Amino acid sequence: MKIKQRGFTLLELLVVLLIIGMLVAYVGPKYFGEVGKSQRQVAAAQIEGIGQALDQFRVDTNHYPTMTEGLAALYSAPGTSSEPNWNGPYLKKPVPPDPWGNAYVYTIPSATQGKDYDLISYGSDGQAGGTGDAADITN
């Protein structure tokens, strides 16, 4: 008695791979576009949280941290003699990097009229300016 073996032909396997490739080509860009969008939302939320901590620092000390003190003053006291009214920490952890791994840029006074300070993430490229995922996110 002869047993018939069934399997897939090379052509059938190539057709299946072609269909999978087409699905990945269609779904992939949409999925990765959402990842970039979520990173921008995370950066905006972090900037808002850091901004609230900066405002609380200002309420306690009557000024925002200097450029020398930087954002580290929100987590650890800049010096007991220089900031006797410091009542922190204002953040539970040190300021994290932005979602792309770059440090947030804090400048005081602000270069923008009507703002006390600037808090910026330069986006995915880490450079000023840009569009899309590389666009700057500011307070």
Side-chain angles (χ1 to χ4, degrees), residues 2-37:
K2 195 172 188 183
I3 299 175
K4 278 183 118 177
Q5 291 184 341
R6 295 252 333 150
F8 295 106
T9 66
L10 180 59
L11 183 60
E12 290 170 328
L13 289 174
L14 289 175
V15 168
V16 169
L17 287 175
L18 178 67
I19 291 170
I20 291 172
M22 289 171 51
L23 286 172
V24 168
Y26 178 72
V27 174
K30 292 182 186 244
Y31 171 75
F32 288 111
E34 293 301 314
V35 170
K37 182 179 176 184

Side-chain angles (χ1 to χ4, degrees), residues 50-89:
I50 296 166
Q52 290 173 351
L54 285 165
D55 291 339
Q56 188 59 49
F57 181 98
R58 183 182 168 274
V59 167
D60 290 346
T61 63
N62 293 322
H63 64 86
Y64 288 105
T66 64
M67 289 288 292
T68 305
E69 296 168 339
L71 297 175
L74 300 175
Y75 181 68
S76 59
T80 54
S81 61
S82 66
E83 295 298 341
N85 295 330
W86 188 86
N87 196 25

Side-chain angles (χ1 to χ4, degrees), residues 40 43 47 98-100 102-105 119-124 126-127 134-138:
R40 293 186 56 73
I47 286 174
D98 69 9
W100 299 278
N102 302 313
Y104 287 100
V105 177
L119 189 55
I120 305 167
S121 166
Y122 286 134
S124 62
Q127 304 287 326
D136 298 348
I137 304 161
T138 63

